Amino acid sequence: CLSMIGAGGAVMLMFAHGISVALLFLLASCIHKRTQTFEMDRMGGLARQAPFLAVLFVTTMFASIGLPGPGLINFWGEFTIFVALWDFRPWMVVPAVLGVILSAIYGLRAMANIFYGKPTEALEESVDLSGVKDLHWREKAPALLLLAVLVFAGVWPKSITTPLNESLSTIYPAVEQQVEEAAQAASLDR
């Protein structure tokens, strides 16, 4: 969007996405360890055997989708980008929102297929569900640390935006000047 707010939102979302995706990969590994598959269509009902894993996965998926609670930084990054897009080219908000909707559909489908409903026959045939356990402390500790970063930055986004804005304020006056010069040069060519 060639704006400081757009660049700040993009950096904030990259930070948030990195943390939330790292947590999703960790949780996907925990799910695979328990089910011996990555195929969501072969799962189901894991929330009964692993409720803490289910809560962490649902919370992280909500973060990844960019929902505004419970104090997750992903929302602030997306919101800032939408504001910058609206100021730059309002029509660009539509494809951006469609991307968020597609992500939400995929994320909600993943949560439903993995954790809710009845376990599939394929899962019951390949895994003894009575032996499926919830997260151990060696799995909980890194997961909770990553979640704490998402929540801390979401509750106090200034922890990221203040140093980010200081850095961007030195870069963006030069970028804005280059954009204005390019616009003037283009208008002179006509």
Side-chain angles (χ1 to χ4, degrees), residues 78-89:
E78 282 187 6
F79 180 74
T80 307
I81 290 169
F82 290 155
V83 168
L85 277 175
W86 185 262
D87 289 342
F88 182 65
R89 301 272 192 280

Side-chain angles (χ1 to χ4, degrees), residues 43-68:
M43 299 182 201
L46 288 180
R48 278 176 260 153
Q49 282 79 23
F52 192 77
L53 174 59
V55 167
L56 275 176
F57 190 88
V58 167
T59 303
T60 307
M61 189 57 72
F62 284 167
S64 185
I65 293 169
L67 292 180

Side-chain angles (χ1 to χ4, degrees), residues 33-56:
K33 187 173 163 184
R34 285 154 178 79
T35 63
Q36 303 303 310
T37 184
F38 283 115
E39 295 179 43
M40 294 185 298
D41 294 335
R42 296 188 58 159
M43 299 182 201
L46 288 180
R48 278 176 260 153
Q49 282 79 23
F52 192 77
L53 174 59
V55 167
L56 275 176

Side-chain angles (χ1 to χ4, degrees), residues 1-170:
C1 298
L2 302 172
S3 70
M4 195 166 103
I5 191 168
V11 172
M12 193 175 357
L13 189 56
M14 285 188 289
F15 169 80
H17 182 72
I19 301 295
S20 59
V21 167
L23 184 50
L24 282 173
F25 277 122
L26 172 71
L27 298 175
S29 172
C30 294
I31 292 166
H32 180 267
K33 187 173 163 184
R34 285 154 178 79
T35 63
Q36 303 303 310
T37 184
F38 283 115
E39 295 179 43
M40 294 185 298
D41 294 335
R42 296 188 58 159
M43 299 182 201
L46 288 180
R48 278 176 260 153
Q49 282 79 23
F52 192 77
L53 174 59
V55 167
L56 275 176
F57 190 88
V58 167
T59 303
T60 307
M61 189 57 72
F62 284 167
S64 185
I65 293 169
L67 292 180
L72 301 166
I73 189 65
N74 305 61
F75 168 75
W76 294 114
E78 282 187 6
F79 180 74
T80 307
I81 290 169
F82 290 155
V83 168
L85 277 175
W86 185 262
D87 289 342
F88 182 65
R89 301 272 192 280
W91 66 267
M92 292 178 116
V93 173
V94 173
V97 168
L98 288 175
V100 171
I101 291 169
L102 290 174
S103 295
I105 291 169
Y106 179 78
L108 294 172
R109 187 175 152 257
M111 291 184 310
N113 285 351
I114 296 168
F115 292 104
Y116 301 104
K118 294 174 71 174
T120 63
E121 288 180 24
L123 182 64
E124 289 177 334
E125 290 172 4
S126 64
V127 176
D128 176 19
L129 288 177
S130 64
V132 172
K133 302 292 183 209
D134 211 347
L135 294 179
H136 304 287
W137 274 107
R138 68 180 176 276
E139 297 166 322
K140 284 181 184 178
L144 289 173
L145 179 65
L146 291 168
L147 184 63
V149 171
L150 286 175
V151 171
F152 173 77
V155 170
W156 194 44
K158 281 190 169 192
S159 63
I160 294 174
T161 59
T162 299
L164 183 59
N165 288 341
E166 289 172 6
S167 297
L168 291 174
S169 66
T170 61

